[in-house]
Amino acid sequence: MDTSNQKISPFLEKISQFNFDKFYTPGNRVICHICMWAFFSMLLFFNYFLELKIPFKSSLLLTGRGTINNMAVFYLFFYVVVPRIFKSKVWGIVFILLCIPASIYVWMIINHLQLSALYKLGIDIQEGPLKGVISRNATQTYGEILSYKAVFGNATLVIYSFSPPFFVKILFDISRLFSRTIHLQKQTSDLQLQNLNIEKDFLKAQLNPHFLFNTLNNLYGLVVKKDPSAPDAIINISDLMAYTLYESNTEKVLVQKELDFIQNYFYLERMRYTLDKDITLDISVEDNIDHIQIAPLLCFTFIENAFKYGLKSTGNNFLKISINIVNNIFYFAIENDKENNAVKKTSLGGIGVKNVEKRLNLIYPNNHEIVIEDREFSFFVSLSINLA
């Protein structure tokens, strides 16, 4: 079974479908940043005011101080340091790890500068569990503030303080990158499918010359002999050409139309051989396939190759085609004799077979299985597709 494309969760599927670049304009970017800081500031304020029972004005003061600290570290890290770090592909991860303790130092320095400014203005916390916190910190020296004991003692609190906006930023950038990657993959898949459709049209064009030449010769013989099957042959040719020229240009067609095409093609190719040849087509389908669709001309290459390279051995000539549709599963199998000295790559390779395999991978990822075997006395191909 093909496993080239893996399914993603519905949540990631929704993210991949969202156009971040179209949404994240400069104006929307400013609004998003304002909303993010307002949200985290509100949570910090509620922590001071409701949990620690600090008065409203003091809670507001501490919230502003903490938000400024976090904003300084956030913008310095993501918009100044990171762009320069990743210019070095080798040392980028190492520098990122070193930036974690550096961010703690920056946070504590900015915090000390703010508390010192408030202390000089005569502002302090007068009550609550953080009473006198401004004066205590403002009177400390930079040596005391940045000592390893102070840094390690406050590391958890500091990281806890600025980690929420960091997490949001990283999550947003990952989602944005994921969406862009999926979008590019889809564009690539669409381009590949477009190229394969061009190849499919080329194969359809190949159908016309040699096939029509042989068929018209046989049809001429039927007309000369006034064979009653001649009108049916003409109708089959008309249906065949209408299908290849018009109806098979879409990505998928109704299964019944594809089966009709295979029957018409088989009938016209069968005309070139005598009745004693063991050439059979067996089609078995469910009662209702009216709404089931399939990619067109997936089986055509194998049937064409079988008639082109098969039925030439000196022993038992045979060509057998079997098609079954059960529970929305399309089963196709074909086997034909071969000459003892037949070249393997003649029927197993070529543009047509590779085109079919590529189309299957793009249109039916994880929903098909194909087996191509060059056996001792025959070529064998089996294909199953989940059409649900």
Side-chain angles (χ1 to χ4, degrees):
M1 183 70 68
D2 180 82
T3 57
S4 60
N5 293 345
Q6 301 295 329
K7 292 183 178 180
I8 60 178
S9 67
F11 174 71
L12 294 179
E13 179 74 22
K14 291 296 182 182
I15 292 178
S16 68
Q17 294 174 356
F18 183 75
N19 191 336
F20 279 87
D21 292 332
K22 184 177 181 180
F23 166 78
Y24 206 49
T25 60
N28 287 342
R29 180 182 303 179
V30 172
I31 294 174
C32 288
H33 279 245
I34 292 174
C35 290
M36 180 185 72
W37 292 117
F39 175 74
F40 286 123
S41 297
M42 181 178 63
L43 294 181
L44 186 60
F45 173 80
F46 286 150
N47 176 258
Y48 288 133
F49 185 66
L50 299 178
E51 178 66 21
L52 300 179
K53 309 297 183 183
I54 297 176
F56 180 84
K57 291 184 178 180
S58 298
S59 296
L60 201 61
L61 181 66
L62 292 173
T63 298
R65 175 227 29 139
T67 300
I68 292 174
N69 292 342
N70 296 336
M71 289 177 67
V73 174
F74 178 87
Y75 289 111
L76 183 64
F77 181 81
F78 283 109
Y79 293 91
V80 177
V81 177
V82 169
R84 287 168 173 76
I85 282 178
F86 281 104
K87 289 182 179 179
S88 173
K89 297 180 180 179
V90 178
W91 296 100
I93 301 300
V94 176
F95 289 149
I96 286 290
L97 295 176
L98 293 176
C99 280
I100 296 176
S103 297
I104 297 174
Y105 275 101
V106 170
W107 194 96
M108 295 186 69
I109 291 173
I110 295 174
N111 183 64
H112 181 69
L113 290 173
Q114 288 194 83
L115 294 179
S116 298
L118 292 173
Y119 178 71
K120 290 180 180 180
L121 295 174
I123 301 173
D124 203 349
I125 306 300
Q126 303 299 329
E127 52 185 300
L130 297 181
K131 180 180 179 179
V133 66
I134 294 178
S135 58
R136 287 198 305 272
N137 283 273
T139 54
Q140 290 181 314
T141 63
Y142 278 102
E144 294 173 325
I145 290 294
L146 302 179
S147 66
Y148 73 92
K149 290 184 178 180
V151 172
F152 279 106
N154 291 282
T156 301
L157 178 63
V158 173
I159 293 175
Y160 173 79
S161 178
F162 65 67
S163 59
F166 272 53
F167 174 78
V168 170
K169 172 65 174 175
I170 293 172
L171 179 62
F172 182 85
D173 284 346
I174 290 175
S175 301
R176 186 181 179 186
L177 179 62
F178 178 82
S179 175
R180 184 177 298 173
T181 301
I182 295 297
H183 182 67
L184 290 175
Q185 287 178 349
K186 186 178 184 303
Q187 286 184 324
T188 302
S189 297
D190 291 342
L191 181 59
Q192 289 177 340
L193 189 57
Q194 182 179 1
N195 291 336
L196 289 174
N197 285 330
I198 293 175
E199 292 180 15
K200 182 188 72 174
D201 293 337
F202 173 72
L203 293 173
K204 285 161 53 180
Q206 285 183 315
L207 164 69
N208 299 337
H210 68 81
F211 170 74
L212 282 180
F213 178 79
N214 293 329
T215 302
L216 290 175
N217 278 338
N218 291 328
L219 183 59
Y220 174 77
L222 294 176
V223 173
V224 170
K225 292 186 296 183
K226 296 183 180 180
D227 193 301
S229 63
D232 291 335
I234 295 174
I235 292 175
N236 284 340
I237 292 176
S238 176
D239 292 342
L240 192 72
M241 299 311 298
Y243 184 83
T244 56
L245 290 175
Y246 305 113
E247 298 189 41
S248 65
N249 290 327
T250 58
E251 182 178 319
K252 293 183 180 180
V253 298
L254 292 175
V255 169
Q256 188 58 59
K257 290 184 178 294
E258 181 71 8
L259 294 179
D260 292 341
F261 167 79
I262 292 174
Q263 287 178 310
N264 289 334
Y265 181 80
F266 176 84
Y267 172 76
L268 292 172
E269 285 281 14
R270 182 69 178 82
M271 289 171 51
R272 299 193 291 117
Y273 300 90
T274 59
L275 294 177
D276 62 324
K277 292 284 188 180
D278 186 11
I279 304 174
T280 60
L281 170 64
D282 178 30
I283 297 179
S284 175
V285 301
E286 294 178 335
D287 293 335
N288 184 13
I289 60 169
D290 294 341
H291 304 292
I292 302 178
Q293 293 187 320
I294 189 172
L297 303 177
L298 288 175
C299 303
F300 168 71
T301 295
F302 304 116
I303 300 175
E304 182 190 38
N305 284 348
F307 278 106
K308 185 176 181 180
Y309 300 110
L311 304 170
K312 291 183 173 64
S313 65
T314 56
N316 181 31
N317 297 145
F318 69 91
L319 192 161
K320 298 180 180 180
I321 304 172
S322 174
I323 299 175
N324 298 301
I325 301 178
V326 181
N327 296 327
N328 291 326
I329 306 296
F330 178 87
Y331 297 99
F332 169 84
I334 185 169
E335 186 176 12
N336 62 274
D337 67 297
K338 70 171 186 176
E339 295 179 289
N340 294 334
N341 60 348
V343 181
K344 289 186 177 182
K345 67 178 181 180
T346 301
S347 289
L348 295 183
I351 295 176
V353 174
K354 292 178 181 178
N355 177 280
V356 171
E357 292 175 336
K358 290 177 182 178
R359 290 177 65 206
L360 286 168
N361 289 334
L362 288 171
I363 302 174
Y364 298 106
N366 303 312
N367 283 305
H368 77 275
E369 184 174 6
I370 184 170
V371 176
I372 304 176
E373 296 179 355
D374 186 355
R375 297 175 176 177
E376 185 177 0
F377 299 106
S378 67
F379 289 111
F380 173 79
V381 177
S382 70
L383 171 65
S384 64
I385 306 173
N386 185 356
L387 302 178

